[in-house]
Amino acid sequence: MSTTKTIQSALISVFDKTGLEPIVRQLHQQNATIYSTGGTEEFIKNLGIPVVAVEDITSYPSILGGRVKTLHPKIFGGILNRQDNPSDVQQMEEFEIPQIDLVIVDLYPFEKTVASGASEADIIEKIDIGGISLIRAAAKNFKDTVIVPSVDEYELFLEMIVSGNGATTLEQRKYLATRAFNVSSHYDSAIFNYFNTEDTYYKASIANGQVLRYGENPHQKGFFFGDFDAMFTKLHGKELSYNNLLDVDAAVNLILEFKNDQPTFAILKHNNACGLATRNTMKEAYLAALAGDPTSAFGGVLIANGNIDTATAYEINSLFCEVVIAPSFDAEALIILQEKKNRIVLTINDVPLPQRQVRTCLNGLLIQDRNSITDNKEGLKTVTHTAPTSQEIDDLIFASKICKNTKSNTIVLAKNNTLIASGTGQTSRVDALKQAIEKANTFGFDLNGAVMASDAFFPFPDCVEIAHHAGITAVIQPGGSIKDELSINYCNENKVAMVFTGIRHFKH
């Protein structure tokens, strides 16, 4: 039997009718019998095209307020029969079941209804039963039946039947079946997640993935699954790479810590901040951030918590950077930044980030709640005789925000709302501190009066001793070591202020 089949009959039952008209007209032009229900049936009638009501096949009306329309053996028999199976052929004749070669469905918009804040009663009514059953049945029988499972496939299907003169190949039907099971599994996952209250169950489905040039390295495939366009508007530049996206993610998470602060500018490299400053103007913030580590800034990702004006853009334009992100840009600033052909320029929209973080681990996944706690002045506990000054408190909170978003083990040094240096990803906290001090000295910073932030407690007083000798006058850390008193005593003896937050901020 030929694997290419001409569509002679179609069942159409859709919610979204956008783009449906040309399909219906094409089916009518090729003399296909069209079956339909409810609003879709009325839509086809209004086009002046003949349509057979499903009720005329089943001899049952739409019942239970429309909950039951297509759920009938004469409908599902017409979809599921195997045309090369003699028993199926005989039963089709015996029970007078019409052949259905094509099923077009678009499900009730469950996710949109949930997102709209609708009542539970309205949400429950948007759980499609007949439609999802039609999709699964037609997809299962792809050898003989064509399934168009959503409005997203209308255009593709129309191209298929126009180019194929009303016929489809087995390869095309199997491809549409694959799309159909994607639609049905995504739909069921959305419903499950609406009902689910158990933390130990996890289901996620993202409908469309973006193929990237490659992964971390050219020999690795890379993909992004998410709605990038909802979060950003891309104004200029090349396509983002896997590594670009990781850096952008780190930049967004970091700048959110300073969302409501004075003009703040951050420069990131390999997911860590190499420069960050808060100032009265965005230009001043950028220049201060760049001074933190102008070497690492080369090829980095830049992000601002406010509008990038023309003066700031002029300064940025002299730096080679991969990505520039801000909530908005002056028109002239945008023109300046677009002078570099490949530079990616993004405006960031106010879109909430997921409250769960997911990463692969061994042969499974690790899932955790988002670290949504940001240290603040009210949560600080002064544990030394010397209390931090008002400026030191500001700098301690500033440093803590950076520390939270930096790879552990980490130490962050800050002064006057400027990132002076950080030690990142070290196997010991002492090494992290030494790295930070060395970087600060390399770029000519005066550490006298600077502050230090640590992502975890100090089990020994060695870090505060090294910091004190470097000129550090105030320290912020979570506390909680059984040997906290050793660090506290050293600070008391040397008039260094220390505050505890009670919150650890590891970032592995």
Side-chain angles (χ1 to χ4, degrees), residues 36 47 65 76 162 171 181 199 229 238 245 247 256 302 317 338-339 345-346 385 392 424 427 438 464-465 484 486 493:
S36 192
L47 296 177
F76 282 84
V162 169
E171 182 182 24
F181 285 122
D199 287 338
D229 292 338
K238 63 183 179 181
L245 288 167
D247 283 331
L256 283 175
L302 282 57
N317 205 36
Q338 289 174 333
E339 289 178 4
V345 182
L346 306 171
H385 300 321
E392 285 174 335
T424 64
T427 52
E438 181 180 353
V464 291
E465 181 177 356
D484 275 341
L486 296 178
E493 291 166 6

Side-chain angles (χ1 to χ4, degrees), residues 183-202:
V183 168
S184 64
S185 62
H186 179 82
Y187 196 77
D188 284 341
S189 292
I191 295 170
F192 169 78
N193 286 328
Y194 171 74
F195 282 95
N196 181 38
T197 58
E198 297 290 331
D199 287 338
T200 54
Y201 294 120
Y202 176 75

Side-chain angles (χ1 to χ4, degrees), residues 135-137 139-140 142 149 176-186:
I135 287 174
R136 291 177 61 84
K140 175 178 179 175
F142 68 88
L176 285 169
T178 303
R179 299 277 289 256
F181 285 122
N182 178 48
V183 168
S184 64
S185 62
H186 179 82

